[in-house]
Amino acid sequence: MASDTGAPTGPETSHRVLFAGVFWVAFATLLAEVAIIRVLSYTIWHHFGYILISTALLGYGASGTLIALRPDIGSADLRRTLTTCSLLSAISVAGLLGFIAAVPLHPMKIVEDPGQFAIFLGYLVFTAVPFFFSGLAITLALRQAADRVDRLYFWDLVGAGLGGGSAVALMNWLSPPGAALAAAAGFAGAAAVFAAREARRVVSLVLAGVFVTASFFASEITFTPAQSKHLAMLMALVGIESRHTSWTALFRTDLVEEVDVRIGCREMGMSAKMEADTCVRPRYWFAHDGSAGAPVYDTSARPRYALFDYHILRVPYLVATPEPRVLVIGVGGGRDVLVARQFGASHVTGVELDPIAIDLLNDELEATRDFFRDPAVELVAGEGRHYVRATDRLFDMIQLTGVDTLAAEYSGSYVLAENYLYTVEAFLDYFARLAPGGMLSIATGNLSADQPRAAGRAVSVAQEALRRMGIENPERHIAVIDSKRLYVGIMVRREPFSEAQVAALEEWAKEYEFRPLHLPGRVGHPVFDGLASAVGGERERLLGGLRHLVHATVDDRPFFFTFYRWTGLFEPGHITPSHVTALGQIVLAILIIALTLLGALFILLPLFVFRRRGIFEARSLGVLAFFLSLGFGFMLFEISLIQRFVLFLGYPTYSLTVTLSSLLVFLGCGSYLSKRWVGRERVALPLAVVAIGLLTLFYTSGLPIIQDALLGTHIALRVVTTVLVLMPLGLVLGMFFPLGIRAAAEIH
């Protein structure tokens, strides 16, 4: 038997079976993708998870190549082949999870350690395997039901969309590893749908039950964070004992108790004049996704910690409004809240992304609960930009201390990690919530005043924000003091610093042996003085002469930690054992090269080596160009829109799941509606191209306006807005594939 495309089909397979089976394969595929990305966010770094999307597509592409070379696959017994592919996808997802747990990858050592490079290649191959088999199943189904491609594609994309959309709930319920095993169960369930014989159906259902059961215990699997992660560093520096671990769709939160009391105070930002008897070690440490280590001090006795008298965090309170109302963005372990109360804050509001951390500080930790239940302290679960937009309160000080910055500095790997807290638009939002005389205070890392990175970029952002507010001499509104121990304190006011305030900062810095890098009316460090004041050509020459990129970041390009120029990645000193280097970008280049080579090896090379008549005919080249352009364009839309909605939805996980799910569901609906245009492809496709062009103009010009207006609204409204905004794009894009398949069927 043969379909009307000429492909052999073997025994007849019901379209309903194909639709249902493809739905569950697609559901499990997207759920597995999102869940494994979250696992990799803990074991390596979250932006490396984007590579999973490319690797998954590599597996899909390789499966298509296999079908092109071996059209006889599935011809004898299609349902048996589909069942086998689904079961292999299920088993390989579980195997991938086990491989990640058993073989840790340390991506920052790929350049210097051939063993890690080999492990990295293993990650790429093992990641591609489950998606190879799921792609094989869907490709075979598409071949079988080419005459109903609009409906099959509808069930494929709706299943994928719902799989991605359910990922957050399943990861919160089962943990990300548990959600990955639930995806394995979904593949096994698809196998049961495809199975024609009762024995195979029973085996598939039993395997699905095993994976469902295992998913409830998956949080007990031990995963090792990369050595460049803060949690791994804590393990290497001090003795720790695990007190609490929670794994949700947003974070893996680890609370560890410090037990090695023999080491001295290693507080970054501390004065060299700190007296030995003031040293107090944190009681606990928080780690989010194995990084962003935050100290938790014992406040049960409501002590006054003398060590903070010598800390850079004290500096802004020297010139703050008496009894200030303070907003802390990024509570972490609560140190900024403790410092604020110690130095006279009348009320402190702390905003923290991780609700579990708030629950621990407020309720579960005896060492902190009384302090954080004080009426003068309020902790809020949320994202800083959203809170600032939503509240009508005014604050005398807004404090940000190393929110993501230290993890980025040490890892060298955040070159693709967006940070919307340190953009010009973010600073303008902060200034709008400052009371008269209020101040924005930032403590961030800086290794060299001569060649600044994070601190220099923060000053650039502050200067640009002040200029957008119409302030002609922003250098009078900025003060920068270096602790000489990594942390730099940056203070920015809407009003100029007074001479008395400058004198107080200067005197304190001298007493505690800190170094003023820029003080209004004083000669400081030439680079920071220039970053605070230079404009036009003078500023361009200054920025161009620095080793690192420290220009102001904006919401459209929020990559605060991209410090290295691509043209100078291998300059001396950019690769050092400390990993405060350009290794992130170097690893990114290696990823691109490796994926390109693997794509050529597993997709293009077999097609050339095992040529089959018709694949490379002139009439096929247009079809190949059509689908190549379609896939490339869709991925550009997908990745850029995921990035665009991170700020709007507040969390990368929300952006990934809501954006992907919406696009895929509406792609499916567009595919279903495309049957109205059968026979009129030459009219429909040009109209769709015009619609895509108009939508692109909207997403680049109109979407930022909508997002800006709704940024401070409830998350439910933002999710609904995201879905509605993406609906027309999905409907139009969804028409291309089925119409292209029908046109291709006429040619090949």
PDB file of all heavy atoms in Angstrom, residues 487-504:
ATOM      1  N   TYR A 487      33.888  44.517  46.410  1.00  0.00           N
ATOM      2  CA  TYR A 487      32.685  45.329  46.350  1.00  0.00           C
ATOM      3  C   TYR A 487      33.008  46.804  46.139  1.00  0.00           C
ATOM      4  O   TYR A 487      33.938  47.353  46.735  1.00  0.00           O
ATOM      5  CB  TYR A 487      31.875  45.196  47.640  1.00  0.00           C
ATOM      6  CG  TYR A 487      30.790  44.141  47.592  1.00  0.00           C
ATOM      7  CD1 TYR A 487      30.627  43.250  48.647  1.00  0.00           C
ATOM      8  CD2 TYR A 487      29.921  44.054  46.519  1.00  0.00           C
ATOM      9  CE1 TYR A 487      29.628  42.289  48.638  1.00  0.00           C
ATOM     10  CE2 TYR A 487      28.925  43.093  46.492  1.00  0.00           C
ATOM     11  CZ  TYR A 487      28.777  42.220  47.546  1.00  0.00           C
ATOM     12  OH  TYR A 487      27.787  41.277  47.523  1.00  0.00           O
ATOM     13  N   VAL A 488      32.192  47.439  45.300  1.00  0.00           N
ATOM     14  CA  VAL A 488      32.233  48.884  45.089  1.00  0.00           C
ATOM     15  C   VAL A 488      30.853  49.429  45.417  1.00  0.00           C
ATOM     16  O   VAL A 488      29.838  48.867  44.988  1.00  0.00           O
ATOM     17  CB  VAL A 488      32.618  49.226  43.636  1.00  0.00           C
ATOM     18  CG1 VAL A 488      32.466  50.714  43.373  1.00  0.00           C
ATOM     19  CG2 VAL A 488      34.045  48.786  43.353  1.00  0.00           C
ATOM     20  N   GLY A 489      30.792  50.489  46.184  1.00  0.00           N
ATOM     21  CA  GLY A 489      29.530  51.138  46.514  1.00  0.00           C
ATOM     22  C   GLY A 489      29.271  52.292  45.567  1.00  0.00           C
ATOM     23  O   GLY A 489      30.119  53.177  45.396  1.00  0.00           O
ATOM     24  N   ILE A 490      28.100  52.303  44.946  1.00  0.00           N
ATOM     25  CA  ILE A 490      27.711  53.356  44.000  1.00  0.00           C
ATOM     26  C   ILE A 490      26.434  53.992  44.505  1.00  0.00           C
ATOM     27  O   ILE A 490      25.433  53.295  44.736  1.00  0.00           O
ATOM     28  CB  ILE A 490      27.495  52.774  42.591  1.00  0.00           C
ATOM     29  CG1 ILE A 490      28.765  52.070  42.112  1.00  0.00           C
ATOM     30  CG2 ILE A 490      27.089  53.865  41.603  1.00  0.00           C
ATOM     31  CD1 ILE A 490      28.552  51.219  40.888  1.00  0.00           C
ATOM     32  N   MET A 491      26.457  55.298  44.699  1.00  0.00           N
ATOM     33  CA  MET A 491      25.294  56.037  45.184  1.00  0.00           C
ATOM     34  C   MET A 491      24.880  57.068  44.146  1.00  0.00           C
ATOM     35  O   MET A 491      25.729  57.804  43.628  1.00  0.00           O
ATOM     36  CB  MET A 491      25.624  56.719  46.510  1.00  0.00           C
ATOM     37  CG  MET A 491      25.816  55.738  47.663  1.00  0.00           C
ATOM     38  SD  MET A 491      26.943  56.350  48.931  1.00  0.00           S
ATOM     39  CE  MET A 491      28.525  56.076  48.143  1.00  0.00           C
ATOM     40  N   VAL A 492      23.586  57.097  43.839  1.00  0.00           N
ATOM     41  CA  VAL A 492      23.068  57.992  42.806  1.00  0.00           C
ATOM     42  C   VAL A 492      21.849  58.709  43.367  1.00  0.00           C
ATOM     43  O   VAL A 492      20.947  58.076  43.934  1.00  0.00           O
ATOM     44  CB  VAL A 492      22.681  57.211  41.530  1.00  0.00           C
ATOM     45  CG1 VAL A 492      22.359  58.181  40.401  1.00  0.00           C
ATOM     46  CG2 VAL A 492      23.786  56.245  41.108  1.00  0.00           C
ATOM     47  N   ARG A 493      21.837  60.031  43.204  1.00  0.00           N
ATOM     48  CA  ARG A 493      20.726  60.851  43.696  1.00  0.00           C
ATOM     49  C   ARG A 493      20.142  61.684  42.564  1.00  0.00           C
ATOM     50  O   ARG A 493      20.846  62.035  41.609  1.00  0.00           O
ATOM     51  CB  ARG A 493      21.214  61.803  44.798  1.00  0.00           C
ATOM     52  CG  ARG A 493      21.612  61.138  46.094  1.00  0.00           C
ATOM     53  CD  ARG A 493      22.430  62.070  46.991  1.00  0.00           C
ATOM     54  NE  ARG A 493      21.862  63.406  47.093  1.00  0.00           N
ATOM     55  CZ  ARG A 493      20.959  63.794  48.018  1.00  0.00           C
ATOM     56  NH1 ARG A 493      20.568  62.923  48.944  1.00  0.00           N
ATOM     57  NH2 ARG A 493      20.496  65.012  48.048  1.00  0.00           N
ATOM     58  N   ARG A 494      18.849  62.005  42.677  1.00  0.00           N
ATOM     59  CA  ARG A 494      18.267  62.927  41.707  1.00  0.00           C
ATOM     60  C   ARG A 494      18.746  64.344  41.959  1.00  0.00           C
ATOM     61  O   ARG A 494      18.904  65.130  41.029  1.00  0.00           O
ATOM     62  CB  ARG A 494      16.734  62.869  41.786  1.00  0.00           C
ATOM     63  CG  ARG A 494      16.154  61.572  41.239  1.00  0.00           C
ATOM     64  CD  ARG A 494      14.653  61.610  41.176  1.00  0.00           C
ATOM     65  NE  ARG A 494      14.052  61.898  42.483  1.00  0.00           N
ATOM     66  CZ  ARG A 494      12.749  61.920  42.706  1.00  0.00           C
ATOM     67  NH1 ARG A 494      11.909  61.686  41.710  1.00  0.00           N
ATOM     68  NH2 ARG A 494      12.272  62.162  43.902  1.00  0.00           N
ATOM     69  N   GLU A 495      18.987  64.665  43.242  1.00  0.00           N
ATOM     70  CA  GLU A 495      19.547  65.968  43.591  1.00  0.00           C
ATOM     71  C   GLU A 495      21.066  65.844  43.691  1.00  0.00           C
ATOM     72  O   GLU A 495      21.581  64.759  43.995  1.00  0.00           O
ATOM     73  CB  GLU A 495      18.993  66.461  44.933  1.00  0.00           C
ATOM     74  CG  GLU A 495      17.474  66.634  44.964  1.00  0.00           C
ATOM     75  CD  GLU A 495      16.738  65.330  45.293  1.00  0.00           C
ATOM     76  OE1 GLU A 495      17.420  64.312  45.561  1.00  0.00           O
ATOM     77  OE2 GLU A 495      15.507  65.326  45.269  1.00  0.00           O
ATOM     78  N   PRO A 496      21.813  66.913  43.454  1.00  0.00           N
ATOM     79  CA  PRO A 496      23.276  66.833  43.596  1.00  0.00           C
ATOM     80  C   PRO A 496      23.666  66.548  45.047  1.00  0.00           C
ATOM     81  O   PRO A 496      22.958  66.909  45.991  1.00  0.00           O
ATOM     82  CB  PRO A 496      23.747  68.236  43.164  1.00  0.00           C
ATOM     83  CG  PRO A 496      22.611  68.834  42.415  1.00  0.00           C
ATOM     84  CD  PRO A 496      21.360  68.243  42.994  1.00  0.00           C
ATOM     85  N   PHE A 497      24.795  65.862  45.218  1.00  0.00           N
ATOM     86  CA  PHE A 497      25.345  65.682  46.555  1.00  0.00           C
ATOM     87  C   PHE A 497      25.802  67.038  47.088  1.00  0.00           C
ATOM     88  O   PHE A 497      26.423  67.832  46.366  1.00  0.00           O
ATOM     89  CB  PHE A 497      26.541  64.724  46.523  1.00  0.00           C
ATOM     90  CG  PHE A 497      26.166  63.271  46.451  1.00  0.00           C
ATOM     91  CD1 PHE A 497      26.009  62.640  45.226  1.00  0.00           C
ATOM     92  CD2 PHE A 497      25.965  62.535  47.612  1.00  0.00           C
ATOM     93  CE1 PHE A 497      25.670  61.302  45.154  1.00  0.00           C
ATOM     94  CE2 PHE A 497      25.629  61.198  47.558  1.00  0.00           C
ATOM     95  CZ  PHE A 497      25.472  60.578  46.328  1.00  0.00           C
ATOM     96  N   SER A 498      25.496  67.296  48.346  1.00  0.00           N
ATOM     97  CA  SER A 498      25.948  68.551  48.964  1.00  0.00           C
ATOM     98  C   SER A 498      27.419  68.428  49.352  1.00  0.00           C
ATOM     99  O   SER A 498      27.968  67.328  49.455  1.00  0.00           O
ATOM    100  CB  SER A 498      25.109  68.858  50.200  1.00  0.00           C
ATOM    101  OG  SER A 498      25.360  67.900  51.223  1.00  0.00           O
ATOM    102  N   GLU A 499      28.045  69.567  49.601  1.00  0.00           N
ATOM    103  CA  GLU A 499      29.438  69.561  50.019  1.00  0.00           C
ATOM    104  C   GLU A 499      29.602  68.812  51.340  1.00  0.00           C
ATOM    105  O   GLU A 499      30.586  68.084  51.538  1.00  0.00           O
ATOM    106  CB  GLU A 499      29.945  70.993  50.163  1.00  0.00           C
ATOM    107  CG  GLU A 499      31.366  71.116  50.703  1.00  0.00           C
ATOM    108  CD  GLU A 499      32.405  70.421  49.839  1.00  0.00           C
ATOM    109  OE1 GLU A 499      32.192  70.324  48.616  1.00  0.00           O
ATOM    110  OE2 GLU A 499      33.433  69.955  50.401  1.00  0.00           O
ATOM    111  N   ALA A 500      28.636  68.950  52.242  1.00  0.00           N
ATOM    112  CA  ALA A 500      28.717  68.256  53.530  1.00  0.00           C
ATOM    113  C   ALA A 500      28.652  66.741  53.333  1.00  0.00           C
ATOM    114  O   ALA A 500      29.366  65.977  54.005  1.00  0.00           O
ATOM    115  CB  ALA A 500      27.590  68.721  54.446  1.00  0.00           C
ATOM    116  N   GLN A 501      27.804  66.295  52.422  1.00  0.00           N
ATOM    117  CA  GLN A 501      27.705  64.858  52.158  1.00  0.00           C
ATOM    118  C   GLN A 501      28.996  64.326  51.540  1.00  0.00           C
ATOM    119  O   GLN A 501      29.480  63.251  51.916  1.00  0.00           O
ATOM    120  CB  GLN A 501      26.514  64.583  51.230  1.00  0.00           C
ATOM    121  CG  GLN A 501      25.153  64.794  51.895  1.00  0.00           C
ATOM    122  CD  GLN A 501      24.010  64.667  50.907  1.00  0.00           C
ATOM    123  OE1 GLN A 501      24.117  65.106  49.759  1.00  0.00           O
ATOM    124  NE2 GLN A 501      22.899  64.091  51.349  1.00  0.00           N
ATOM    125  N   VAL A 502      29.555  65.067  50.598  1.00  0.00           N
ATOM    126  CA  VAL A 502      30.805  64.641  49.970  1.00  0.00           C
ATOM    127  C   VAL A 502      31.917  64.569  51.007  1.00  0.00           C
ATOM    128  O   VAL A 502      32.711  63.617  51.035  1.00  0.00           O
ATOM    129  CB  VAL A 502      31.182  65.586  48.822  1.00  0.00           C
ATOM    130  CG1 VAL A 502      32.578  65.245  48.286  1.00  0.00           C
ATOM    131  CG2 VAL A 502      30.151  65.517  47.701  1.00  0.00           C
ATOM    132  N   ALA A 503      31.977  65.568  51.895  1.00  0.00           N
ATOM    133  CA  ALA A 503      33.013  65.590  52.935  1.00  0.00           C
ATOM    134  C   ALA A 503      32.865  64.396  53.875  1.00  0.00           C
ATOM    135  O   ALA A 503      33.864  63.788  54.293  1.00  0.00           O
ATOM    136  CB  ALA A 503      32.942  66.898  53.715  1.00  0.00           C
ATOM    137  N   ALA A 504      31.607  64.034  54.203  1.00  0.00           N
ATOM    138  CA  ALA A 504      31.374  62.891  55.094  1.00  0.00           C
ATOM    139  C   ALA A 504      31.847  61.597  54.439  1.00  0.00           C
ATOM    140  O   ALA A 504      32.472  60.746  55.087  1.00  0.00           O
ATOM    141  CB  ALA A 504      29.895  62.810  55.450  1.00  0.00           C
TER     142      ALA A 504
END
